[in-house]
Amino acid sequence: KNQVEQSPQSLIILEGKNCTLQCNYTVSPFSNLRWYKQDTGRGPVSLTIMTFSENTKSNGRYTATLDADTKQSSLHITASQLSDSASYICVGREKLNTGNQFYFGTGTSLTVIP
Amino acid sequence: DAGITQSPRHKVTETGTPVTLRCHQTENHRYMYWYRQDPGHGLRLIHYSYGVKDTDKGEVSDGYSVSRSKTEDFLLTLESATSSQTSVYFCAIGGPSDQPQHFGDGTRLSIL
């Protein structure tokens, strides 16, 4: 069964600190893995997309890694800011040319405190 | 930001009434999706469309219908709303490809 699991469920860190969010996926055949940021009351916004052949991708202070062998991904946030407080969602995409190919994790809720 | 507008943004209604949510895009994208988001669940696909008048069911389609008569508009209808359909509904465009999906800001629907 295709699925995506994220940990931790929630996390509180001090402003300026780094943190790492985890995502384990079992999606086959695998196409790519996405990280989204969802602010409270808003829709998810794409941070990164990583295909099978990519193992690191950065977007500013966000760096995603992908290990296709262990089927794990992580999202590292450097020098956190208050605006990083949000839910971070990991999404695995199955290699199909249809619309029902995305598998969403339940998200990690990050709170950055001053 | 991708041009996606959902309406209404908030709605409260009673059990048994029909409800229609609208998603409007200005990106001329072929694919559009309706998801619902509930605590403890990831986003779950209700229905999606891959072109005008071309739609298909997602994993939680029971109790919902959709229509797409124009590229830019995708409507989600609850024929007879139930309390279990209280949720936040998101429209998205994009995919299937290595490009990201773009999401609207959601409709918060409460059914009493």
Side-chain angles (χ1 to χ4, degrees):
Chain A
K1 177 184 175 184
N2 289 335
Q3 62 183 17
V4 171
E5 295 181 344
Q6 295 187 241
S7 63
Q9 186 174 355
S10 62
L11 183 62
I12 300 174
I13 63 172
L14 290 173
E15 185 179 13
K17 298 296 187 182
N18 303 336
C19 67
T20 300
L21 314 179
Q22 301 291 342
C23 173
N24 293 336
Y25 65 93
T26 51
V27 176
S28 181
F30 176 75
S31 176
N32 61 52
L33 190 124
R34 306 158 181 231
W35 283 95
Y36 287 85
K37 178 187 180 189
Q38 185 176 20
D39 293 318
T40 300
R42 304 296 300 274
V45 175
S46 178
L47 292 175
T48 64
I49 297 176
M50 301 180 69
T51 62
F52 181 86
S53 60
E54 298 173 302
N55 54 24
T56 302
K57 185 168 279 190
S58 292
N59 179 356
R61 294 180 296 103
Y62 300 101
T63 299
T65 64
L66 179 70
D67 186 330
D69 291 332
T70 61
K71 295 183 170 51
Q72 295 180 328
S73 177
S74 64
L75 181 69
H76 186 75
I77 304 174
T78 304
S80 61
Q81 301 176 358
L82 297 179
S83 59
D84 292 330
S85 293
S87 179
Y88 291 84
I89 301 171
C90 177
V91 185
R93 180 184 166 227
E94 188 178 0
K95 189 178 286 185
L96 289 176
N97 286 324
T98 64
N100 55 350
Q101 61 191 252
F102 300 101
Y103 297 89
F104 290 80
T106 55
T108 292
S109 177
L110 175 66
T111 303
V112 180
I113 58 175
Chain B
D1 289 346
I4 306 170
T5 305
Q6 291 187 232
S7 59
R9 292 295 315 280
H10 303 271
K11 186 173 182 65
V12 180
T13 190
E14 294 183 346
T15 301
T17 60
V19 177
T20 296
L21 308 183
R22 180 182 184 238
C23 178
H24 178 80
Q25 62 148 330
T26 58
E27 306 298 314
N28 199 36
H29 208 287
R30 180 182 171 199
Y31 277 79
M32 298 184 75
Y33 312 78
W34 277 107
Y35 293 94
R36 61 179 288 174
Q37 187 175 44
D38 304 289
H41 293 274
L43 283 154
R44 292 182 291 174
L45 182 66
I46 304 171
H47 283 278
Y48 70 98
S49 170
Y50 48 97
V52 173
K53 292 185 169 45
D54 292 323
T55 65
D56 205 350
K57 296 179 180 180
E59 68 173 300
V60 291
S61 60
D62 287 348
Y64 301 95
S65 62
V66 291
S67 66
R68 191 163 178 204
S69 58
K70 298 184 291 184
T71 298
E72 58 266 34
D73 289 326
F74 193 31
L75 304 180
L76 177 70
T77 297
L78 291 66
E79 299 291 348
S80 178
T82 68
S83 58
S84 64
Q85 294 175 311
T86 292
S87 186
V88 181
Y89 291 85
F90 286 97
C91 174
I93 65 173
S97 68
D98 290 340
Q99 298 303 309
Q101 286 179 298
H102 298 284
F103 290 82
D105 281 336
T107 293
R108 184 171 294 275
L109 178 62
S110 296
I111 301 165
L112 307 178

